[in-house]
Amino acid sequence: ASFLFDFSQDDDSKKGGKKSMALHALNKIVIMWAGFFTASLFVYFMMSGGDFSFLMTYGAISRMFGFGILNVKIFSSKRATGVSVKTLQLYCLVFFFRLTSIIRHQGYLPYDKSGDWLYHVVEIMALIFTGTALWGCMAPFKSTYQGALDKFGEMHVPPGMGAVYLAVPMLILAIIVHPNLNSDFMSDAAWTYAMYLESVALVPQLFMFQKQTSGVVELLTAHFVAALGFGRLMEFMFWVYSYHELATSAGSKLPGYLALFSQLMQLVLMLDFFWYYYLAVKNATPLVLPSHGAAMGMV
């Protein structure tokens, strides 16, 4: 009888320990996101003047926050597990080409005071965070990078080059269809390329999630993807009301329609992820996605 009693005590202590760890993780989540929203409100009241275009800056801040989380995950754990290098490569291109446009011209900047300098700083920091995360995956922690799972697009290309199947078509589309707010072909095409490419940049990461046999997504990796999705939602809300400004030199509204469509498609691709992310945060449990053989809406 005493053996059974001891066994049940051990079982109860294990359950209590797991619950304590879950609550601790939940507290860290709350603090992290509360800090983000507090900082966002401060910036909003100090920089926006209540202008609707601040949603662009808010989306950019959310992206920067997401890549900051990813750096914490990689360098604190000293592991690159669960992170898609292809997605990081694509986002490096996104931030680089967007910066080549907004540093030289003002056509695609927020109208409020955040467009004077803050938006530029946020995008530069996002590029730095993305670059350091990519470096962490490919240099000091390369041995932990799961290249066998990061296989998106690896058909008829050298290993690790699958991202070209997203980068090249988006470049061609941006060259053919782009707005004319800067009245400069290179600048307009560069900004448009960044926008189109960002709409598909998370696809390799979502593809990698599906290839994980356990279906479990590391907590900080999940927050990284959620922050990028939240940023895209903010920008989509802005362009719903402003897409008509994205017109070609001939007056065609096609670039505006493509901008809306591309951003909407990214949000649709992430619907399943958002749902399981919500359940994980609500229940203070790990984020577990269905196996790649199940019906999934992500990719």
Side-chain angles (χ1 to χ4, degrees), residues 99-113:
L99 282 166
T100 62
S101 176
I102 65 174
I103 287 177
R104 295 172 53 224
H105 299 94
Q106 301 180 359
Y108 302 99
L109 290 172
Y111 309 135
D112 63 2
K113 289 190 294 183

Side-chain angles (χ1 to χ4, degrees), residues 182-193:
N182 286 335
S183 300
D184 180 280
F185 172 79
M186 294 295 292
S187 181
D188 289 320
W191 183 88
T192 308
Y193 180 47

Side-chain angles (χ1 to χ4, degrees), residues 54-87:
F54 181 74
L55 285 175
M56 286 184 68
T57 305
Y58 198 13
I61 292 173
S62 183
R63 281 194 301 268
M64 181 187 71
F65 174 64
F67 282 104
I69 292 173
L70 186 61
N71 275 268
V72 171
K73 173 256 187 298
I74 293 172
F75 290 97
S76 63
S77 67
K78 297 183 179 179
R79 291 184 297 118
T81 52
V83 179
S84 170
V85 162
K86 293 183 177 69
T87 282

Side-chain angles (χ1 to χ4, degrees), residues 207 209-213 215 289-299:
F207 183 84
F209 284 162
Q210 286 190 328
K211 292 300 180 182
Q212 296 178 164
T213 54
L289 297 172
S291 65
H292 65 275
M296 288 285 289
M298 289 195 301
V299 291

